[in-house]
Amino acid sequence: MNGPAIAENPSKQPSAAQTVYEYVSSTVFALAVVLLVFTFVLRTATVVGISMMNTLHDGDRLILSTTHDTPRQGDIVVLSTKAVREAIVKRVIATAGQTVNIDFQAHKVYVNGKALSEPYIREPTSERGDVTFPVTVPPGHVFVMGDNRNDSYDSRFSAVGMIDERDIIGHAVFRLLPISKIGPLAR
């Protein structure tokens, strides 16, 4: 059995103060959620330089996932290293325990003896750096390179070296700008 019917007064309108309060509280709640997401889950970064061409260009604006999941081969990451003053954007080529070898005459990068398929690179790899290959990535580290291989300061140079996973600020997951290229970043 249902309780007594309660008649509502459809003509009763909320007061101006109630309307303003609801609008302000909804706006504050939405801003708090956005602030929390961009503090603990996502960040933005701007690409500086040409080391990731043709995948990314100078001035591209990215959204990064900062959930600190383990980096995987092919991920585009933003990292901070003592070798370079500002944060840099690079691609993870190898992870802990993997061995990297580069054949500079054939312009091929090998990980664990298998040549990488790298349709994203701007030109064949010929810049040597000062690291002697092959190298094995130590635990908790990654080997990174720019997609513009011959104009990238990366793990081929001992000053940059293997990147400690703790120095990874985030994984690039989405391009915001330029608008003509907006969308998710594929591995």
Side-chain angles (χ1 to χ4, degrees), residues 53-55 91 107 118-125 146-149:
M53 285 175 63
N54 286 338
T55 306
R91 185 178 300 273
H107 308 289
E118 300 183 293
Y120 45 78
I121 64 172
R122 180 170 182 161
E123 57 194 7
T125 305
D147 290 356
N148 187 0
R149 295 292 165 75

Side-chain angles (χ1 to χ4, degrees), residues 16-141:
Q18 287 175 319
T19 302
V20 168
Y21 173 78
E22 288 175 9
Y23 176 75
V24 169
S25 64
S26 295
T27 302
V28 168
F29 178 76
L31 289 173
V33 168
V34 168
L35 182 64
L36 287 171
V37 166
F38 275 92
T39 299
F40 297 109
V41 180
L42 301 175
R43 288 181 76 173
T44 62
T46 302
V47 176
V48 176
I50 60 171
S51 73
M52 284 299 290
M53 285 175 63
N54 286 338
T55 306
L56 300 171
H57 294 84
D58 187 47
D60 283 4
R61 193 85 170 143
L62 309 174
I63 291 182
L64 311 177
S65 169
T66 59
T67 56
H68 298 290
D69 53 336
T70 304
R72 295 179 294 169
Q73 190 176 16
D75 283 350
I76 296 173
V77 295
V78 176
L79 54 104
S80 177
T81 178
K82 294 174 185 149
V84 182
R85 282 189 223 156
E86 66 273 344
I88 57 175
V89 182
K90 300 294 177 196
R91 185 178 300 273
V92 175
I93 299 302
T95 60
Q98 293 183 313
T99 299
V100 178
N101 198 5
I102 302 176
D103 182 337
F104 292 101
Q105 292 183 344
H107 308 289
K108 293 283 186 190
V109 177
Y110 296 87
V111 175
N112 292 339
K114 183 179 178 193
L116 296 181
S117 171
E118 300 183 293
Y120 45 78
I121 64 172
R122 180 170 182 161
E123 57 194 7
T125 305
S126 61
E127 178 66 42
R128 292 182 181 271
D130 63 349
V131 170
T132 303
F133 291 94
V135 295
T136 300
V137 182
H141 290 74

Side-chain angles (χ1 to χ4, degrees), residues 7 15 23 35 37 59 71 80 85 97 101 158 163 173-174 178-180:
S15 69
Y23 176 75
L35 182 64
V37 166
S80 177
R85 282 189 223 156
N101 198 5
S158 58
I163 302 300
V173 294
F174 196 86
I179 295 201
S180 62

